[in-house]
Amino acid sequence: MTAPAPAATAPAERCAHPGADLGAAVHAVGQTLVAGGLVPSDEAGTTAHHLVRLAVRYGNSPFTPLEEARQDLGVDRDAFRRLLALFGQVPELRVAVETGPAGAYWKNTLLPLEQKGVFDAALAGKPVFPYSVGLYPGPTCMFRCHFCVRVTGARYDPSALDSGNAMFRSVIDEIPAGNPFALYFSGGLEPLTNPGLGTLAAHAVQHGLRPTVYTNSFALTERTLERQPGLWDLHAVRTSLYGLNDEEYEQTTGKKAAHTRVRENLRRFQKARAERESPINLGFAYIVLPGRASRLLDLVDFIADLNEAGQGRTIDFVNIREDYSGRDDGKLPQQERAELQEALAAFEARVNERTPGLHIDYGYALNSLRAGADAELLRIKPATMRPTAHPQVAVQVDLLGDVYLYREAGFPDLDGATRYIAGRVGPDTSLTEVVRDFVERRGQVEARDGDEYFMDGFDQVVTARLNQLERDAADGWEDVRGFLR
């Protein structure tokens, strides 16, 4: 399924997509170069050809080191530097990269982090407050999902709640102004099992933040909302869906009738937020499991049903991801790829019919797949993990105050995860101090086999980008590292 080009789209803006008319793109770029007096007319064709090739490469493979791209073009260093300068003077080419099959990497993660300077801080070993802070407040979880790394039965002692919530408040107070989406509540374990979550949410909003809670919504009951009115101050509730009926939920979570309860909780929540005229957003995270691509149509029907319960308030967003677990190369088999492309086309048609206006985030790989390119997730391995991690970019803090370097490490009793604790926030130690101490003492963790599973997709993207930037600097491209900034 290749998305058709809009009639008014310039050829160069679509050049990174499969099936694009590269000849037309080269011609258009050449005309732009000549019209702008950027190159002589006799050089325009060759220069435009190189520039389009760069757009195609970085629109599909954003983590390519610059030296590799230069060698692929077969030009010397001076000529390549000139090409990089010219690329920035042709806006259509930047559009091609940012809207290409790998555009989600650029727009969702790489460019926003570049603009905040956090990659620079990580590469320079400069201690700065993390750009993103995840608070993991849940003392336990009612599910036992087969894909979850949680150790069966592992939980935090309830006696840790009061001190833990006081510690979380202190972390919230540290977050600098100017980044309202710096904080989220997740886990680890289920956030709604913490009876103080609503108070924390309200405190965060008073601090100028707009936090989202990542939850399974099993405990999103009327009673919970009555006891924790601060939950209404959240910017968003993002519910992870583990199926679309009780059987699928039980297969995934091990809990009977869980889907029915979650669905009813969400219906009541929809009605309540409409009655309260609450601005809180509600959406879902849904993973397409192997063999279940056709269930995407049922997902639309599920959302449409909740829209009816919302009395005019519709579901705001859905994040769709594909399960690549167990695939060593990160790729889909051809048949599954074709089935998923067909299912995505049908899904979008059903969305247009039943839930128009629904915001859909396809993530990294599915965005490529929708564009007709091969979907392939990053596969960071222990050999390419960074010993210093990236605390300037993101950290996660659990109920004990332990500061984890990777998002999937913050589970109690998880074998090997404590090696990825940068330090502990406490009455006498702030998060700022934990990060500063880890960075200034050049804290490092030697990766072992299997440690890559402590990293989620965001961690993998950040790691790949930092490795790319470091390689560019080592190759003498420090001032232009990373291609787009």
Side-chain angles (χ1 to χ4, degrees), residues 441-456:
R441 67 180 167 83
R442 303 185 181 220
Q444 295 192 6
V445 182
E446 184 178 350
R448 301 172 184 171
D449 288 345
D451 280 5
E452 65 270 27
Y453 295 107
F454 294 141
M455 310 170 76
D456 74 347

Side-chain angles (χ1 to χ4, degrees), residues 71 74 326 406:
Q71 293 178 8
Y406 295 130

Side-chain angles (χ1 to χ4, degrees), residues 397-446:
V397 187
D398 77 354
L399 196 58
L400 301 179
D402 287 330
V403 179
Y404 287 87
L405 297 170
Y406 295 130
R407 295 187 176 189
E408 296 295 320
F411 291 75
D413 302 333
L414 185 60
D415 186 36
T418 56
R419 294 183 298 113
Y420 288 95
I421 295 176
R424 175 173 285 190
V425 178
D428 301 317
T429 308
S430 66
L431 178 57
T432 298
E433 291 169 326
V434 169
V435 172
R436 185 176 63 216
D437 176 69
F438 181 82
V439 174
E440 289 185 345
R441 67 180 167 83
R442 303 185 181 220
Q444 295 192 6
V445 182
E446 184 178 350

Side-chain angles (χ1 to χ4, degrees), residues 285-326:
Y286 183 78
I287 296 177
V288 183
L289 298 174
R292 292 189 183 178
S294 62
R295 298 289 278 143
L296 283 169
L297 296 180
D298 297 307
L299 172 63
V300 180
D301 294 340
F302 173 78
I303 292 173
D305 176 68
L306 290 175
N307 285 346
E308 293 180 6
Q311 303 174 20
R313 285 300 304 275
T314 58
I315 298 300
D316 298 286
F317 63 90
V318 60
N319 298 343
I320 308 291
R321 302 292 185 266
E322 209 278 335
D323 179 23
Y324 283 67
S325 61

Side-chain angles (χ1 to χ4, degrees), residues 327-339:
R327 299 182 173 96
D328 291 336
D329 61 358
K331 295 181 180 180
L332 290 173
Q334 182 59 38
Q335 181 177 351
E336 187 175 345
R337 176 179 181 271
E339 291 174 354

